[in-house]
Amino acid sequence: MLMRSPCYASLDDALETLAPYGTELKNGNSNHGPMVAEALCALGRPDAVMPWIARYRERMLPRSGAQARIRREDWRAALGERARFADWSRFFGEELQDAPWREVLDRWMERLAPGFCAAATHGVIRVGHAARGLADSETAPRLREFADAFASWAATYQELPTNDEAQSLRLTPREAIDRVAVVPPDRRGQGGNITASLRMLDDFPGFVPAIGLIDTAGALGPLLAELTEVFARVYLANAHDIRSAIAFIHGVTSPAALGNIAPLVSDRTARAAVRYAWQAGCGLYACFGGETAMAADIEPSDTDAEGLVERAIAHGDEHVIKFTGACLHRHTLDPSPVYFAAVDHVRRMIPTR
């Protein structure tokens, strides 16, 4: 059975319902509500959006109030200040008053790309969902969500250690992933979230060269396709429990989000972002990975795309739904058995909701 066509009939109502809530859940994890709403619409299942939100709302927290206006001349000083999400949302709302959203997208993708890993890559993922929704139709709720998406990224901004002067080794992602240095297991913390784990890399010099391993000068579409497929294979080789599964999910959904953004921005901006998308995926592998970087042999799935969508909706977990959406979308663009296999796998790793 073929996948349904995207249908955004319920997205604006969903975003209106979600607007009063902030970026975090009661357990401290990121609020996935707007992202799941858009993902379900992109999967052609607008009917599933509001029932899912009705169950999810009890886990969300109200958005915080504004503190002080962020000025254009000193915006860098407010980067990474989580308590200033509302200030950042107002800032990006003002940006949208002065320029079309695609211009804002291009400008701020370039500026924030070095912080691609922010909030375990949730910032760029949310922007990717918001931009895809706006590309379908420019409405007030979608513009507000676009501002909130960028606000979530700026408020959680985080960079990984890098050497900007390092020359690229001109490897493909498939060739390069085996060269990424992995933090020894005895140096890893066993608790904390993904963001806290990524901070280990500040004291791990072996990770610094990772950003310079791949060649970003070739055709952008095939590079993004290979990047996403490689990290789907990294997921299959290294996701062995709920913690590692959630970590490696983001290694796939973040370049997939960039794939949604790239056609909407300049080649320069997209190419710069690919470099940091690679680095972020490598950071997740360095902190959570094992000796085998990628799965080589892929077991074919016995379920078609529509069946995988139905199973994801029945499962109910936000990561499972978003991961399913990202994998199936990438499969439609660049078919690979790894995507169906990864979607099959993730339902076994994460408890149902």
Side-chain angles (χ1 to χ4, degrees):
M1 184 184 300
L2 295 176
M3 282 181 58
R4 303 184 192 186
S5 298
C7 177
Y8 285 83
S10 62
L11 183 58
D12 287 356
D13 287 343
L15 294 178
E16 292 283 14
T17 301
L18 294 166
Y21 297 96
T23 60
E24 293 184 350
L25 302 177
K26 293 175 181 177
N27 64 2
N29 292 336
S30 294
N31 174 10
H32 290 67
M35 297 179 273
V36 172
E38 193 281 334
L40 287 169
C41 289
L43 288 168
R45 291 304 306 269
D47 57 299
V49 173
M50 298 308 290
W52 184 87
I53 289 174
R55 297 188 297 272
Y56 194 69
R57 282 176 70 177
E58 65 180 23
R59 299 165 57 194
M60 296 189 288
L61 292 170
R63 63 192 295 148
S64 58
Q67 296 183 18
R69 188 170 181 267
I70 297 171
R71 300 183 182 278
R72 286 178 176 170
E73 59 268 23
D74 58 2
W75 59 267
R76 288 182 177 83
L79 285 175
E81 296 190 11
R82 288 176 175 263
R84 301 194 67 186
F85 166 70
D87 297 334
W88 276 111
S89 183
R90 176 184 175 187
F91 176 87
F92 284 109
E94 292 171 351
E95 290 284 281
L96 289 169
Q97 290 175 10
D98 294 340
W101 68 268
R102 293 191 187 213
E103 183 178 321
V104 175
L105 177 65
D106 188 84
R107 180 189 309 135
W108 284 95
M109 274 297 301
E110 183 176 25
R111 289 177 175 178
L112 297 183
F116 201 94
C117 74
T121 71
H122 282 116
V124 70
I125 293 170
R126 187 168 177 178
V127 168
H129 284 287
R132 187 166 62 175
L134 269 174
D136 171 77
S137 181
E138 185 174 325
T139 68
R142 299 183 201 188
L143 287 168
R144 183 181 58 231
E145 167 54 21
F146 181 85
D148 280 354
F150 263 118
S152 72
W153 189 354
T156 58
Y157 187 86
Q158 176 186 3
E159 293 185 14
L160 296 178
T162 188
N163 180 0
D164 287 330
E165 297 179 359
Q167 295 295 312
S168 169
L169 292 186
R170 300 192 179 279
L171 301 174
T172 67
R174 186 181 291 272
E175 294 168 335
I177 191 65
D178 284 322
R179 299 196 182 203
V180 176
V182 175
V183 178
D186 61 358
R187 292 181 56 184
R188 301 181 188 182
Q190 297 304 308
N193 58 24
I194 299 172
T195 299
S197 294
L198 288 172
R199 293 196 184 101
M200 290 190 299
L201 299 176
D202 293 337
D203 300 314
F204 184 57
F207 178 75
V208 173
I211 195 169
L213 292 175
I214 66 167
D215 182 8
T216 60
L220 192 59
L223 177 59
L224 268 170
E226 183 176 348
L227 195 70
T228 313
E229 205 242 10
V230 162
F231 283 118
R233 290 180 180 272
V234 170
Y235 166 87
L236 282 174
N238 293 277
H240 55 78
D241 56 22
I242 185 171
R243 188 166 183 258
S244 58
I246 290 176
F248 289 115
I249 281 170
H250 297 94
V252 178
T253 53
S254 56
L258 179 55
N260 295 334
I261 294 167
L264 305 173
V265 297
S266 67
D267 180 77
R268 169 183 163 177
T269 296
R271 204 169 292 281
V274 166
R275 188 166 177 260
Y276 291 105
W278 160 256
Q279 185 197 37
C282 290
L284 294 169
Y285 174 57
C287 292
F288 295 93
E291 294 181 359
T292 302
M294 295 193 304
D297 299 323
I298 305 299
E299 288 288 334
S301 173
D302 60 359
T303 309
D304 63 14
E306 188 60 25
L308 293 175
V309 173
E310 291 293 339
R311 290 181 182 182
I313 292 171
H315 186 286
D317 180 82
E318 59 267 41
H319 297 96
V320 171
I321 293 172
K322 287 169 64 264
F323 190 60
T324 299
C327 285
L328 294 184
H329 180 62
R330 290 310 309 179
H331 181 77
T332 63
L333 299 174
D334 304 285
S336 169
V338 70
Y339 293 121
F340 279 43
V343 170
D344 270 337
H345 184 276
V346 76
R347 292 193 311 275
R348 300 193 297 272
M349 290 292 103
I350 298 179
T352 58
R353 287 286 181 187

